Amino acid sequence: MLICKKCKAIITENTCPLCGKTKGFITPKENDLVYLTSAEYLWSPPIEDALLEAGVGYSRVAIGGTESVIGQLTEFYRYYVSLADYERAFEALPPENSEMTEEELNAYIDSLADETEQ
C-alpha cells in the first residue's frame, strides 16, 4: 500500500484521489496518519460521532474555509486516522449520502448557539 506524500491519501490506480498526482508516493508505517474522508463543518458531527463510537482516534484539519469572514459553518474538514485504524474507521463511517434530519439539524444549530452564548 502506498500513500501520497503530500495528501496522505491511500493511492488507488496509481493516482492520488485528492491531488491527482501520479508520483511522490511513500509506504506508510502503521502509526502514520492517512486520509480517511472530508466533510463540510455542518456534516462533520456524524463522522466524528461514528469514529468516537468505534474507538478510533482521528485528526481533523480545516481547509479552504472562510471562517473569519462568514463563520464556522463554511469550514471544510479533512479527517485522518492511523494506518492501523484505517479499515475500522472506514467501516464506521456513516453512509456517504446520509444527512441530518431537519430535527437533528435544528438541534445541532441550537447547541451551537448555546455554546456561543456561554
Side-chain angles (χ1 to χ4, degrees):
M1 174 186 302
L2 297 173
I3 63 172
C4 178
K5 186 176 182 179
K6 175 185 172 195
C7 304
K8 307 298 184 206
I10 293 175
I11 302 306
T12 56
E13 300 179 15
N14 298 319
T15 303
C16 174
L18 293 179
C19 70
K21 289 190 177 193
T22 57
K23 56 185 175 181
F25 306 145
I26 58 173
T27 302
K29 297 177 180 79
E30 285 293 305
N31 291 331
D32 285 349
L33 291 179
V34 296
Y35 170 79
L36 177 65
T37 192
S38 300
E40 293 176 348
Y41 171 80
L42 197 56
W43 306 116
S44 61
I47 292 171
E48 294 176 13
D49 291 346
L51 293 174
L52 290 173
E53 188 174 311
V56 175
Y58 64 89
S59 175
R60 181 182 75 188
V61 178
I63 58 168
T66 55
E67 180 177 358
S68 61
V69 178
I70 299 172
Q72 197 170 21
L73 294 178
T74 62
E75 286 287 309
F76 192 77
Y77 296 129
R78 284 189 179 164
Y79 290 88
Y80 298 86
V81 296
S82 72
L83 178 61
D85 288 336
Y86 180 82
E87 275 190 48
R88 190 164 44 112
F90 188 79
E91 290 172 5
L93 288 176
E96 191 171 325
N97 295 322
S98 70
E99 294 183 358
M100 291 181 185
T101 65
E102 189 171 339
E103 289 175 355
E104 291 172 325
L105 180 58
N106 287 334
Y108 180 67
I109 291 171
D110 289 344
S111 74
L112 290 177
D114 291 344
E115 287 177 15
T116 58
E117 290 174 2
Q118 295 176 356

